[in-house]
Amino acid sequence: MFRPQPVDPRQCSIDGVLLHVAKPIPGATETLRFLNEHSIPFILLTNGGGKLEADRVKDLSEKLGVPLTTDNFVQSHTPFRELVNAGGPDGKGFRDKTILVTGSDYEKCRSIAESYGFKNVVTPADILAAHRCVFPFAVVADVESAAGDGDRLATRPLPKPLHNTTAAPATAAERAGLLKIDAMFVLNDPRDWALDIQVLADLLLSEQGYMGTYSSKNGNASLPNHGWQRDGQPTLYFSNADLLWAAAYHLPRFGQGAFQAAIAGVWHRLTNGAAPLRRTVIGKPHADTYRFAERVLTAHRNDTLRRLGHLLEQAAEPQCAAAADSNSNPVAAVYMVGDNPESDIAGANGHVSDAGIQWLSALVRTGVWSEERDGHSVLTGVKKPTVVVPDVKAAVQWALQREGWDADF
């Protein structure tokens, strides 16, 4: 069964491909075991998030009954690690700056950001606790706590106080003593949409990210974008754009893409349609995520080849390892297995590899896409998969057969 070199790598989505809610989809465990036992490199690429990578991998390993590691695992927000030391307006990253994070669990989102290396992390709950008038309504956690169904919001003191007067801070010294948000990250599907939209909108309308201020440039028709988001406001980052995902209910449920659409709709009203919401979106199907995933997959494949004795050069730098791999053991193709034509399939088909690697896509029938409900008419253009198969086992068997393997397992 074993060939002199591993076959070309593959990527798998998780929800709707390997798991449905918390249970393995038939054939998923068997397929991953086969890949592991035959040293076939793969990564798990998901638009899910909201947990530390190590915690999510541990949970997946237990549910699937297959040992997994963080070396070949990418969540929607994993690429944000690269913004700790690079990126942002000055190209130096956000390590020592103050960022705001939100998602389904504020404290878990804070822990994730801090694990990546961000030092000053604020949540909407922190802002609400510091100035209750920011949002004059009950929040989800408070309602659940009062009903005995959950804990009250966990918060931390803000690193600096909010600006809470109508006059803009006049001096640099005054500014230095106030809370300034330099970037905003939506790490996974938010739970308290109303509070989050209010805080994010306040910062998008602010002067240079000082919470509680309002930019004098907003609505100025003489400026680019009518002055909206032209006064040093923090960049807004979304970790995925999935409108729908497969959950326990028999019909798909709203995902982070729905939240993004909601805030974009509010922004459209706030600006009278004069300026589209400027934001940065990663996750499938966006190119930055696929480039990041290809780097992770290449590194994982190189490690596999070294372990098997096929890549003998021990490169000192990661880019050298990739070069050695491309020279002696080139990757010809990557197979993307997914359940969502809008994200998994479109992302794979639209990805242009810097290394010239061909990407092929396999759409499974176990997740978001339903042949009965959606039909094949939606599978057009970039959303048209290379092949449609019943499940992940059939997808991997198809890929192996293309590579000349006996794929009967």
Side-chain angles (χ1 to χ4, degrees), residues 40-61:
I40 299 172
F42 67 93
I43 69 170
L44 302 182
L45 177 65
T46 176
N47 267 358
K51 287 186 177 182
L52 294 168
E53 280 75 5
D55 291 344
R56 186 80 189 279
V57 165
K58 181 176 182 292
D59 182 56
L60 286 171
S61 295

Side-chain angles (χ1 to χ4, degrees), residues 6-19:
V7 299
D8 287 331
R10 51 214 20 86
Q11 299 195 34
C12 291
S13 183
I14 296 177
D15 296 315
V17 176
L18 300 177
L19 295 173

Side-chain angles (χ1 to χ4, degrees), residues 184 200-206 218 229 233-234 236 263 267 277:
M184 303 177 288
L200 294 176
D202 283 343
L203 288 165
L204 290 168
L205 295 168
S206 71
N218 292 338
Q229 291 182 278
Q233 290 91 351
L236 176 58
I263 193 169
W267 183 254
L277 177 65

Side-chain angles (χ1 to χ4, degrees), residues 99-114:
I99 67 168
L100 181 132
V101 298
T102 189
S104 60
D105 185 307
Y106 293 140
E107 284 306 300
K108 286 184 179 178
C109 288
R110 193 198 315 267
S111 296
I112 291 165
E114 290 176 341

Side-chain angles (χ1 to χ4, degrees), residues 46-50 75-78 80 102-104 109 184-191 193 196-197 200 236-246 253-264 277 279-284 286 340:
T46 176
N47 267 358
Q75 296 190 101
S76 64
H77 46 67
T78 305
F80 286 152
T102 189
S104 60
C109 288
M184 303 177 288
F185 294 90
V186 182
L187 295 190
N188 73 320
D189 306 356
R191 188 178 182 198
W193 286 26
D196 289 352
I197 289 174
L200 294 176
L236 176 58
Y237 294 92
F238 290 93
S239 69
N240 86 68
D242 281 356
L243 179 67
L244 302 170
W245 67 291
R253 301 291 83 190
F254 287 148
Q256 189 185 140
F259 174 78
Q260 185 180 160
I263 193 169
L277 177 65
R279 72 269 203 190
T280 298
V281 185
I282 65 168
K284 300 177 289 185
H286 294 277
N340 191 332

Side-chain angles (χ1 to χ4, degrees), residues 5 144 216 235 271 273 288 326:
Q5 296 179 5
E144 290 184 348
S216 61
T235 302
T271 63
D288 286 344
S326 64

Side-chain angles (χ1 to χ4, degrees), residues 44 48 157 189 198 211 246 335 350 365 405:
L44 302 182
D189 306 356
Q198 182 67 75
M211 183 71 187
Y335 298 87
R365 294 186 172 95
W405 276 57

